[in-house]
Amino acid sequence: MEPARPARGHRAVPHTADVRIEAWAPRREECVAEAVTALVETFADTSGAAPGAETGFTVPAAADPDLLVGVLDEVIFRLETEGTLPLEVRVTAAPDGGLRVRWRGTDTDAVEPVGAVPKAVSLHELRFGPDRGGWSCALTLDV
């Protein structure tokens, strides 16, 4: 028998060439935040990093899978262009149906690399929506 999963969490799962992550939480926004944390953990050990100033962005209203991809694409974009990554993530619903993302982050040189840096979110086999007792997602990161 498989042990019960916690109410909120994430994990990397085996995949042939790229990186596949799963995340789950009671609410849609919490699930997105877990997916962001899972993305970061695929390539960086953040345990020794201290969170800096808060920053944020908004993803406009769209279908739920598109919202998830929009958030993760922004994380990857900021990683590539600013050399920053999130440590503490908070996602809330925006009035227009989109998502507001706030995070306290750090520079990439403050973390220990542990894997290949993601280049994009694959739309192939992307899943995000309600499930038993909450929300879950599964997606592949191109590295």
Side-chain angles (χ1 to χ4, degrees):
M1 184 170 161
E2 186 177 316
R5 72 178 187 189
R8 182 176 173 157
H10 58 269
R11 66 181 179 177
V13 293
H15 191 268
T16 51
D18 294 310
V19 176
R20 186 131 176 105
I21 59 173
E22 296 177 350
W24 60 90
R27 294 179 40 244
R28 176 183 75 155
E29 295 80 8
E30 294 169 334
C31 187
V32 173
E34 286 293 332
V36 170
T37 302
L39 179 149
V40 171
E41 288 179 359
T42 66
F43 69 91
D45 175 1
T46 62
S47 60
E54 187 173 85
T55 188
F57 59 92
T58 300
V59 176
D64 290 324
D66 295 332
L67 288 171
L68 175 64
V69 171
V71 170
L72 297 177
D73 280 347
E74 183 69 18
V75 172
I76 293 169
F77 174 76
R78 290 183 183 210
L79 174 67
E80 292 174 349
T81 61
E82 300 172 359
T84 61
L85 55 96
L87 296 177
E88 298 172 357
V89 182
R90 187 176 73 254
V91 180
T92 57
D96 70 353
L99 294 174
R100 281 194 191 125
V101 180
R102 303 292 300 166
W103 79 50
R104 293 183 57 203
T106 191
D107 293 332
T108 53
D109 58 0
V111 300
E112 187 68 33
V114 296
V117 175
K119 300 296 179 201
V121 177
S122 173
L123 300 180
H124 181 69
E125 297 183 350
L126 171 69
R127 179 183 51 75
F128 179 48
D131 78 352
R132 58 185 172 128
W135 283 71
S136 67
C137 67
L139 58 105
T140 302
L141 301 169
D142 297 330
V143 293

